[in-house]
Amino acid sequence: MRAYFSILGGALYWIFFGSLRRKPVKIPLVLRQIVLIGVQSVPMVALLSFFMGLVLAMQSAYTLKNLGAEVYVANLIAVSFFREIGPFLAAIVLAGRCGSAMTAEIATMRVSEEIEALEVMAINPVRYLVSPRLLAAVCMMPSLCLIAEFAGNLGGWAIGVGSLGVSSDVYIARSLDALVLKDVWSGLVKGVVFSTLVSSLACYWGMTVSGGAEGVGQATTRSVVTSLVAILSADVMLTAIFYFL
């Protein structure tokens, strides 16, 4: 825990105070990570969320149809995706696709002694490797969350209009009526917390790897597993906090 918070604290320090020491985080490095983390993750996030919207709409319609309340599928899909499922799916993609890549890249640099070479050149490894990834993940996660939320609602709309016989205008109107501002910002807050956990854990396991090529594989596995556990744990706590607000 001490090593993890040391790396996370160092990354946050360089993000917020690096410019005061005339050593800001390099913008080209951040932009490169934004493309890798954000832009290239959009198709997977959108596709998974769309399919989840289809599945959730069909499963909920199975029960609501017995009550003659198929129109409430719109309410259920809108609230569940904006509050919970959208940020969660985006975080899962971030952990599985990007977190593992971060860990493998940094771990390979560690075992090949490239990080020691950075230190010899008086380049802080945390500022050069961790801070750009953390900043890019936090900046792109709200956009990924919104994409996931709208894609999931699109899947629900497809089932509602195409299978349940709900008119498009009614479905969209009920979705908008079901949402309040709290649903939107609570989901975005979850996304920012999830991205911070995933990126920092991925970089931590990469920075502390040992054991050569075998260690790289083990670190990558640990990165994904601990990220998933951290996402679920943070989700429980944040949901409880927002429930009582």
Side-chain angles (χ1 to χ4, degrees):
M1 293 297 291
R2 185 183 299 112
Y4 167 72
F5 282 111
S6 175
I7 293 174
L8 176 59
L12 294 175
Y13 170 81
W14 288 112
I15 290 173
F16 291 106
F17 302 107
S19 58
L20 299 179
R21 297 184 55 181
R22 296 184 180 180
K23 294 182 179 180
V25 178
K26 300 295 185 181
I27 300 300
L29 297 177
V30 178
L31 294 178
R32 178 177 180 272
Q33 294 301 320
I34 283 177
V35 174
L36 296 176
I37 295 172
V39 178
Q40 295 183 5
S41 297
V42 168
M44 184 177 294
V45 170
L47 187 63
L48 290 179
S49 300
F50 179 75
F51 286 158
M52 181 58 71
L54 293 174
V55 172
L56 185 59
M58 289 186 286
Q59 294 288 4
S60 58
Y62 179 78
T63 300
L64 293 174
K65 189 174 183 180
N66 296 329
L67 304 174
E70 298 95 328
V71 70
Y72 286 100
V73 169
N75 302 59
L76 188 147
I77 297 293
V79 174
S80 59
F81 261 92
F82 272 88
R83 289 182 70 101
E84 183 68 32
I85 301 178
F88 184 77
L89 287 178
I92 294 298
V93 172
L94 184 66
R97 182 189 177 278
C98 305
S100 58
M102 292 182 196
T103 302
E105 182 179 2
I106 296 177
T108 302
M109 296 179 67
R110 170 65 74 182
V111 299
S112 61
E113 299 183 352
E114 293 181 37
I115 293 181
E116 285 77 3
L118 291 175
E119 294 173 343
V120 169
M121 293 186 292
I123 298 176
N124 188 289
V126 174
R127 178 176 71 91
Y128 188 77
L129 298 175
V130 181
S131 294
R133 289 167 171 80
L134 177 60
L135 182 58
V138 172
C139 289
M140 291 305 299
M141 193 60 173
S143 299
L144 293 177
C145 289
L146 290 174
I147 291 171
E149 291 158 1
F150 282 107
N153 278 274
L154 180 61
W157 172 86
I159 294 298
V161 175
S163 179
L164 301 180
V166 181
S167 68
S168 180
D169 294 340
V170 172
Y171 189 96
I172 295 173
R174 295 204 68 88
S175 297
L176 295 176
D177 290 340
L179 291 173
V180 295
L181 185 59
K182 178 182 177 181
D183 298 328
V184 179
W185 66 256
S186 63
L188 296 180
V189 169
K190 285 184 178 182
V192 171
V193 174
F194 295 162
S195 63
T196 302
L197 290 172
V198 170
S199 57
S200 59
L201 285 169
C203 294
Y204 161 75
W205 286 113
M207 295 287 288
T208 58
V209 70
S210 60
E214 182 180 357
V216 174
Q218 293 176 350
T220 304
T221 301
R222 290 170 182 169
S223 170
V224 176
V225 172
T226 54
S227 294
L228 295 178
V229 173
I231 290 169
L232 289 170
S233 302
D235 191 24
V236 171
M237 291 185 288
L238 291 173
T239 300
I241 293 172
F242 293 140
Y243 177 79
F244 291 106
L245 285 179

